[in-house]
């Protein structure tokens, strides 16, 4: 009976067709098997892979105790820990260890089109706006920001001046904002002394001390948020020309009402005649102000006649009152008959709901405007004081009775426009209906200015007092001719992100920074990862390089993306890319190097080395046009990057997201142009497990199989600086300097050494002592070597892709490096190749 159990290792969770076969022994535990067969395995709180026995999940806590049984099928599956890793991670769990590699291209542009809802990068939509259900913009470095609305803009009259309140979100995280870098449109706020006031709140700070934090809903039935003429409040005309002109009076009898129209005739005196009730059949009316109060109420017109209109009585909810036997007879010149929501002379306007369905409030504001002022001219042309009174009533949704708010009164003697905001506090939270009427009689005398408009009905909804994790801005603006309407949606600022600084391999106190390293780490940690998931050693090595070069990342992320796409953009401005190496997200910079990491030659190839060269096509782009964001205009500009011989007629268009320097945009574009021109040779080869020593973008020495280039083989012995090789009769070329490179047991390259011939025909003398001790006892492979003249002893390549396909083979893709790629990395941009992109570009 077999004592082995089958273990399948799936390196890619998304592709179950790809797996590696391994075997365990009955009686083993998974923990023991891993420790014996995977030297780099270590116990983690969150393992890099999951285990299943006979398709049933085996929790990590059971790995040390579950014993393999006869017939068990064990599966190990790589489990990516974030959305980026699941798309990019490739793992090989083999007898010699675990390796994770990825190959990614630097993005040519940050979006194929302008991001939906972008408030920064589309010049046609720059402005403050609400982002309902949208992401909170994330700022990096120093950049222009149009803050988003947290509450809708609110206007209020204070002492006959209109003020605008804004509550805005600067972005996720903390920012430094200088007073001279806060603007309305293009004008600094400091130019509006006494008209604009703002306060910045850091993440988690209490904002309730600023009036602008209130979340106020403005009813669309009364007026819009930008203000409007509103609803005119008309008063009943009672007199004109110094005597009564005309009015209605009513007689109530049985179930009929008779309307009498009275008109003043100076020669004859008063006279009256009957007239039709001025409403349509079936219309619901309200009687108000009758002497016999039992006649007040709601009625429906069922017949109409000049001798009397028959009615039926209704309750407040407009159901028929079957107990009604008729009016108490009376003739009344003060009674009113009107449709309640008619808004006619002296009638209520409304009711209107103050909040949407499902919402409640206990605070109302009503705005009123007197566009012609308020007053009365006497015969000498002097303004006399005049007053106007308003009645406001409200009730809860579904309630029968109206509640009268405190009386509102206007008094003045001016023809300057007046405005007033009246707050009304309710005793409890309700969904209120509100109606307003003018109780002061109107007058058609042209010397009287007392027109009143109801311009807004506002109610406070639930208001946040703390915004966790974001910087906010509360603004109060006085409405003046200088500000006009631009203040509402053109408030912008330049902010610098505040993040922990990276110094000497550790994080220090937060401070404003435009550096690449802090934001790179912040993105990873904001996704829930700890420092242990970041390649801090590599970051420590690259951080001073970026700082010395002045490489910065200045951008605003205001559209959806993945963590891995974001960090690719962040690193791209520093000529770097992210890789995943042993569970850590590590930055790797494409830079000029002289020290080789590993060497590969025919002795550790499987099969032949394949070389492919991309030739220049006739329609190939002849330049790079880089679009970047100008820190002066805060609009997109372009710069053309060309090599000698390029006409720039058909350039490749690239967006340098995160670059706000013309010189840096030029360096970015020239690096791409030189890469396209000079990196055109690709090598593909296979090894056994040797290539798992290398990592993405490693600088390696690769032997060629073309005659006349390097020679390679095995070192069979050494004595001090004398190396003895298995190749008898090395080809020494007269007048040339020669190189010998030796492969260490870990695959790294020792040397290269300057070489000279020894006395024996297989002896090579090197110019320095070896930095390792070769072993020739057969316990490990003997060292390999590469030999040739100084100019072509190897192909200097960058590792671009490593794909383990089994326990026996690894496929490698490498790219021939060329020193000319790096020649413009520090060059300043020429003076005449920049263009501002017009608005229609987007």
């Amino acid at each position: 009976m077999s004592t082995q159990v089958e273990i399948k290792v799936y390196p890619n969770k998304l592709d179950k067709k790809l797996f590696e076969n391994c075997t365990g022994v009955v009686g083993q535990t998974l923990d023991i098997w891993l420790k014996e067969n995977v030297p780099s395995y270590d116990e983690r709180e969150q393992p890099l892979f999951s285990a299943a026995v006979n398709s049933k999940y085996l929790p990590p806590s059971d790995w040390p105790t579950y014993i393999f049984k006869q017939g068990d099928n064990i599966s190990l599956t790589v489990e990516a820990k974030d959305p980026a890793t699941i798309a990019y991670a490739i793992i090989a769990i083999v007898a010699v260890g675990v390796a994770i590699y990825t190959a990614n291209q630097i993005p040519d542009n940050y979006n194929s089109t302008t991001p939906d809802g972008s408030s920064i990068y589309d010049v046609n939509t720059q402005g403050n706006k609400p982002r309902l259900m949208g992401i909170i913009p994330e700022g990096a470095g120093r950049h222009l920001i149009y803050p988003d609305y947290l509450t809708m803009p609110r206007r209020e009259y204070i002492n006959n001046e209109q003020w605008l309140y804004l509550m805005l979100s600067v972005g996720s995280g903390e920012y430094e904002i200088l007073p001279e870098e806060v603007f309305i449109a293009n004008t600094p706020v400091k130019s509006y002394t006494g008209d604009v006031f703002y306060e910045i709140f850091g993440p988690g700070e209490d904002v309730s001390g600023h009036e602008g934090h209130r979340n106020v809903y403005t009813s669309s039935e009364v007026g819009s948020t930008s203000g409007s003429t509103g609803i005119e409040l008309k008063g009943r005309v009672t007199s004109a020309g110094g005597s009564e002109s005309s009015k209605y009076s009513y007689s109530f009898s049985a179930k009929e009402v008779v309307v009498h129209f009275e008109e003043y005739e100076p020669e004859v005196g008063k006279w009256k005649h009957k007239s039709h009730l001025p409403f349509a059949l079936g219309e619901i009316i309200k009687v108000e102000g009758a002497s016999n109060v039992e006649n007040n109420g709601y009625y429906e017109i069922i017949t109409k006649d000049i001798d009397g209109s028959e009615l039926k009585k209704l309750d407040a909810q407009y159901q028929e009152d079957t107990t009604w036997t008729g009016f108490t007879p009376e003739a009344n010149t003060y009674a009113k008959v009107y449709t309640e929501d008619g808004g006619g002379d002296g009638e209520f306007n409304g009711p209107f709901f103050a909040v949407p369905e499902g919402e409640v409030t206990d605070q109302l504001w009503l705005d009123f405007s007197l566009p012609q002022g308020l007053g009365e001219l006497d015969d000498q042309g002097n303004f006399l004081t005049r007053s106007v009174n308003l009645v406001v009533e409200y009730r809860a949704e579904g309630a029968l009775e109206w509640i009268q708010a405190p009386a509102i009164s206007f008094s003045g003697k001016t023809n300057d426009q007046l405005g007033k905001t009246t707050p009304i506090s309710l005793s409890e939270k309700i969904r209120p209906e509100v109606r307003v009427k003018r109780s002061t009689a109107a007058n058609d005398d042209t010397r009287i200015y007392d027109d009143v408009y109801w311009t807004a009905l506002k109610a406070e909804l639930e208001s946040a007092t703390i915004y966790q994790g974001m910087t906010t801005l509360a603004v109060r603006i006085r409405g003046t001719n200088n500000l006009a309407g631009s203040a509402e949606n053109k408030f912008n600022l330049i902010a610098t992100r505040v993040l922990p600084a990276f110094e000497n391999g550790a994080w220090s106190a937060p401070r404003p920074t435009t550096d690449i390293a802090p934001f790179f780490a912040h993105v990873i940690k904001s996704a829930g990862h700890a420092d242990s998931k970041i390649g801090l050693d590599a970051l420590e090595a690259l951080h001073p390089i970026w700082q010395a070069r002045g490489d910065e990342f200045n951008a605003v992320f205001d559209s959806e993306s993945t963590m891995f796409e974001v960090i690719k953009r962040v690193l791209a401005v520093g000529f770097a890319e992210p890789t995943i190496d042993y569970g850590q997200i590590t930055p790797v910079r494409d830079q000029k190097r002289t020290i080789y990491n590993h060497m590969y030659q025919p002795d550790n190839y499987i099969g032949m080395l394949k070389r492919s060269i991309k030739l220049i096509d006739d329609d190939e782009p002849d330049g790079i046009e880089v679009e970047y964001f100008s820190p002066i205009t805060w609009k997109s500009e372009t710069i053309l990057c060309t090599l000698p011989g390029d006409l720039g007629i058909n350039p490749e268009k690239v967006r340098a997201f995160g670059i706000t320097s013309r010189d840096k945009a030029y360096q970015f574009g020239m690096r791409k142009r030189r890469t396209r021109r000079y990196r055109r040779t690709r090598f593909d080869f296979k090894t056994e497990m040797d290539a798992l020593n290398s990592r993405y973008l490693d600088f390696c020495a690769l032997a060629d199989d073309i005659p006349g280039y390097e020679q390679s083989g095995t070192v069979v012995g050494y004595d001090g600086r004398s190396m003895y090789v298995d190749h008898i009769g090395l080809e020494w070329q007269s007048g040339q300097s020669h190189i010998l490179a030796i492969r260490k047991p870990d695959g790294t390259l020792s040397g290269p050494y300057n070489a000279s011939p020894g006395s024996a025909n297989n002896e090579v003398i090197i110019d320095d002592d070896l930095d390792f001790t070769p072993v020739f006892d057969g316990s490990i492979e003997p060292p390999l070597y590469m030999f040739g003249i100084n100019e072509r002893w190897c192909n200097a390549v960058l590792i671009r892709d490593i794909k383990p396909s089994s326990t026996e083979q690894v496929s490698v893709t490498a790219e021939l490096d060329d020193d000319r790629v790096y020649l413009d990395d520090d060059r300043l941009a020429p003076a005449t190749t920049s263009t501002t992109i017009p608005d229609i570009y987007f």
Side-chain angles (χ1 to χ4, degrees):
M1 181 180 295
S2 173
T3 60
Q4 293 185 335
V5 294
E6 182 181 23
I7 299 177
K8 289 184 177 180
V9 179
Y10 296 92
N12 188 346
K13 186 175 183 178
L14 302 180
D15 186 2
K16 289 295 186 178
K17 296 178 181 179
L18 179 65
F19 62 86
E20 173 190 340
N21 276 317
C22 301
T23 56
V25 179
V26 172
Q28 273 185 318
T29 65
L30 179 59
D31 185 63
I32 292 174
W33 185 87
L34 289 167
K35 290 177 179 177
E36 289 181 354
N37 292 275
V38 186
S40 61
Y41 167 72
D42 61 342
E43 296 181 5
R44 298 170 179 246
E45 183 178 348
Q46 291 185 323
L48 297 175
F49 50 90
S50 63
V53 179
N54 302 324
S55 301
K56 184 177 180 180
Y57 176 70
L58 183 68
S61 58
D62 292 346
W63 291 3
T65 58
Y66 181 81
I67 298 174
F68 293 163
K69 299 179 180 61
Q70 184 69 37
D72 276 351
N73 290 315
I74 314 296
S75 63
L76 305 179
T77 305
V78 175
E79 295 291 346
K81 298 303 179 186
D82 55 68
T85 311
I86 195 171
Y88 294 105
I90 300 176
I91 186 170
I93 303 178
V94 291
V96 295
V98 179
I100 302 178
Y101 300 93
T102 184
N104 305 292
Q105 300 299 318
I106 295 177
D108 285 345
N109 46 46
Y110 67 92
N111 258 321
S112 57
T113 60
T114 303
D116 290 338
S118 173
S119 60
I120 304 296
Y121 298 105
D122 185 343
V123 296
N124 294 320
T125 61
Q126 284 183 342
N128 312 118
K129 61 182 65 176
R131 299 175 70 91
L132 183 64
M133 304 303 292
I135 65 168
I136 301 173
E138 182 96 24
R142 182 177 184 272
H143 208 281
L144 175 76
I145 293 176
Y146 279 87
D148 298 321
Y149 292 141
L150 290 170
T151 61
M152 290 306 294
R154 174 170 66 92
R155 285 178 165 80
E156 180 176 333
Y157 291 110
I158 301 175
N159 297 327
N160 289 319
E161 293 180 327
Q162 191 178 65
W163 289 79
L164 173 67
Y165 293 98
L166 303 173
M167 191 69 195
L168 304 167
S169 165
V170 176
S172 178
E174 185 178 355
Y175 299 82
E176 178 190 60
I177 302 169
L178 302 178
E180 61 270 21
E181 295 185 330
V182 181
F183 307 90
I184 292 177
N186 297 317
T187 304
V189 162
K190 64 181 182 180
S191 299
Y192 298 108
T193 304
D195 291 332
V196 181
F197 305 88
Y198 66 89
E199 188 173 353
I200 299 169
F201 297 91
E205 290 187 14
D206 188 350
V207 301
S208 60
H210 196 285
E211 187 69 16
H213 88 284
R214 296 179 182 272
N215 181 24
V216 175
Y217 173 80
T218 301
S219 172
S220 59
E221 288 91 341
V222 177
S224 64
T225 56
S226 60
S228 64
T229 303
I231 300 172
E232 183 178 2
L233 302 178
K234 300 176 181 179
R236 236 180 346 169
V237 177
T238 58
S239 65
S243 63
E244 286 191 329
S245 175
S246 60
K247 62 182 178 180
Y248 288 104
S249 63
Y250 301 95
S251 296
F252 301 96
S253 179
K255 293 189 175 183
E256 292 183 339
V257 59
V258 178
V259 59
H260 304 274
F261 181 69
E262 298 184 7
E263 188 172 16
Y264 179 75
E265 288 287 346
E267 295 83 3
V268 181
K270 291 184 182 179
W271 63 274
K272 70 173 66 173
H273 65 79
K274 298 177 183 179
S275 65
H276 292 288
L277 195 64
F279 303 105
L281 284 172
E283 192 158 10
I284 298 172
I285 62 172
K286 185 178 182 181
V287 175
E288 188 178 77
S291 298
N292 293 304
V293 294
E294 62 266 24
N295 287 336
N296 292 328
Y298 294 91
Y299 299 86
E300 181 181 353
I301 304 172
I302 56 177
T303 65
K304 285 194 66 173
D305 191 271
I306 195 169
D307 293 323
S309 297
E310 187 176 355
L311 311 178
K312 67 177 180 181
K313 191 170 186 180
L314 309 173
D315 61 22
Q317 296 301 306
Y318 306 135
Q319 301 297 319
E320 182 177 2
D321 181 0
T322 58
T323 65
W324 183 58
T325 59
F327 290 109
T328 300
E330 69 168 306
N332 193 319
T333 60
Y334 300 102
K336 286 181 57 182
V337 179
Y338 61 94
T339 56
E340 186 177 11
D341 59 352
D345 292 351
E347 298 178 8
F348 274 109
N349 292 267
F352 304 114
F353 281 111
V355 295
E357 187 174 359
E359 297 286 350
V360 294
T361 186
D362 60 1
Q363 181 63 52
L364 301 175
W365 291 271
L366 283 74
D367 288 356
F368 301 98
S369 173
L370 291 83
Q372 295 179 325
L374 180 60
E376 181 178 356
L377 287 173
D378 62 14
D379 293 339
Q380 286 74 43
N382 299 314
F383 260 106
L384 305 177
T385 300
R386 186 170 178 83
S387 298
V388 174
N389 297 319
L390 307 179
V391 176
V392 178
E393 293 183 349
Y394 64 89
R395 67 181 178 186
E397 181 180 17
L400 300 181
E401 299 297 327
W402 289 95
I403 301 172
Q404 187 166 317
I408 299 174
S409 178
F410 296 92
S411 182
K413 53 177 182 178
T414 179
N415 59 356
D416 292 335
Q417 181 175 348
L418 302 176
K420 183 176 183 180
T421 297
T422 301
I424 299 176
S425 297
L426 311 182
S427 59
E428 60 178 336
K429 287 184 178 292
I430 59 173
R431 188 190 183 203
E433 292 181 278
V434 182
R435 63 184 189 179
V436 178
K437 72 175 180 179
R438 172 176 172 150
S439 58
T440 300
N443 198 298
D444 59 5
D445 192 326
T446 58
R447 295 184 298 176
I448 294 176
Y449 300 84
D450 64 356
D451 291 344
V452 181
Y453 291 85
W454 182 16
T455 58
L457 170 61
K458 296 169 289 188
E460 183 175 10
L461 305 180
E462 184 176 353
S463 301
T465 58
I466 293 176
Y467 291 93
Q468 298 290 353
M470 72 171 76
T471 296
T472 56
L473 188 72
V475 185
R476 186 166 62 100
I477 302 173
R478 186 202 312 265
T480 67
N481 291 334
N482 291 333
L483 290 174
S486 64
E488 183 172 334
N489 61 5
K490 291 297 183 183
F491 203 92
N492 63 94
L493 49 86
I494 298 172
T496 304
R497 188 64 185 270
V498 175
L499 291 171
F502 190 63
E503 298 174 330
N504 301 320
W507 302 108
S508 59
R511 67 187 185 199
T513 179
T514 58
D515 289 336
I516 296 172
F519 192 75
F520 168 79
H522 164 74
V523 173
I524 297 172
K525 290 195 283 189
S526 65
H529 300 293
D531 279 349
S532 60
K533 297 295 184 182
I534 305 172
L536 292 178
D537 290 341
L539 199 63
E540 182 180 6
L542 293 178
H543 182 51
I545 296 175
W546 289 326
Q547 281 190 317
R549 284 177 40 81
D551 290 339
E552 299 177 349
F553 185 76
N554 301 305
V556 176
F557 291 92
D558 58 358
S559 58
E560 292 183 355
S561 189
T562 64
M563 182 196 76
F564 212 76
E565 284 299 321
V566 169
I567 60 177
K568 281 168 66 177
R569 295 183 187 180
V570 173
L571 294 179
V573 302
F575 301 139
E577 299 177 58
T579 66
I580 301 176
D581 190 19
Y582 288 94
Q584 288 187 328
I585 302 175
T586 302
V588 179
R589 188 171 188 270
D590 184 359
Q591 57 192 355
K592 185 176 181 179
R593 285 169 285 186
T594 58
I595 301 176
Y596 295 93
N597 299 106
H598 301 92
M599 61 177 271
Y600 298 98
Q601 44 111 309
D603 292 87
N604 55 356
Y605 294 160
I606 296 176
M608 302 293 291
L609 176 71
K610 296 181 181 179
R611 177 200 299 258
S612 57
I613 301 175
K614 185 179 186 304
L615 301 178
I616 298 177
D617 300 326
D618 291 339
D619 58 351
E620 186 172 300
D622 59 348
I624 301 286
E625 186 180 66
V626 179
E627 178 190 332
Y628 68 100
F629 223 58
S630 167
I632 300 173
T633 63
W634 293 110
K635 290 183 169 64
S636 292
E637 295 187 0
T638 63
I639 185 168
L640 184 63
C641 304
T642 58
L643 291 172
D646 288 340
L647 297 178
I649 297 174
N650 179 36
E652 177 184 355
K653 298 182 185 297
V654 172
R655 281 177 175 167
F657 186 74
I659 291 180
T660 56
S661 163
R662 186 170 180 273
D663 290 333
K664 291 299 174 182
Y666 179 74
Q667 293 167 10
F668 184 85
M670 289 305 298
R671 168 66 81 90
K672 283 190 173 294
R673 181 66 189 117
R674 287 182 172 275
T675 298
R676 300 279 194 272
R677 171 68 66 86
Y678 299 119
R679 285 185 181 165
R680 309 181 75 90
T681 301
R682 165 178 163 168
F683 297 95
D684 291 279
F685 61 96
K686 294 182 179 180
T687 72
E688 292 183 348
M689 309 315 297
D690 306 47
L692 291 178
N693 291 317
S694 294
R695 283 161 173 72
Y696 182 62
L697 281 187
D698 269 1
F699 186 59
C700 295
L702 185 69
D704 210 331
D705 51 5
I706 298 177
Y709 278 74
E710 70 286 324
Q711 297 170 263
S712 61
T714 303
V715 177
V716 295
Y718 84 108
D719 182 11
R721 295 185 179 182
S722 292
M723 302 293 116
Y724 297 92
V725 300
D726 63 351
H727 195 101
I728 299 176
L730 292 173
E731 297 179 4
W732 296 89
Q733 299 184 34
S734 177
Q736 296 287 342
S737 298
H738 293 78
I739 294 293
L740 182 72
I742 300 174
R743 181 177 180 267
K744 298 179 185 179
D746 62 359
T748 57
L749 185 144
S750 177
Y753 302 98
N754 292 318
S756 57
S759 56
N761 57 7
N762 68 336
E763 180 184 3
V764 180
I765 300 174
I766 58 178
D767 63 344
D768 201 355
D769 295 332
L770 287 177
D771 56 0
F772 75 105
T773 303
V775 177
F776 298 100
D777 61 6
S779 60
I780 60 175
E781 289 182 337
L784 302 178
Y785 73 89
M786 293 169 60
F787 172 82
I789 63 173
N790 192 47
E791 288 76 15
R792 58 171 192 251
W793 66 274
C794 75
N795 292 296
V797 299
L798 297 175
I799 300 298
R800 283 293 181 182
D801 196 13
I802 300 174
K803 292 182 179 178
S805 56
S806 69
T807 57
E808 299 178 352
Q809 286 191 10
V810 178
S811 298
V812 183
T813 298
E815 188 176 59
L816 185 64
D817 197 16
D818 192 311
D819 288 345
R820 292 174 292 181
V821 168
Y822 312 103
L823 292 181
D824 290 314
D825 285 359
D826 299 307
R827 185 167 297 172
L828 300 181
T832 58
T833 58
S834 183
T835 306
T836 300
I837 299 177
D839 292 0
I840 58 171
Y841 179 84
F842 295 92

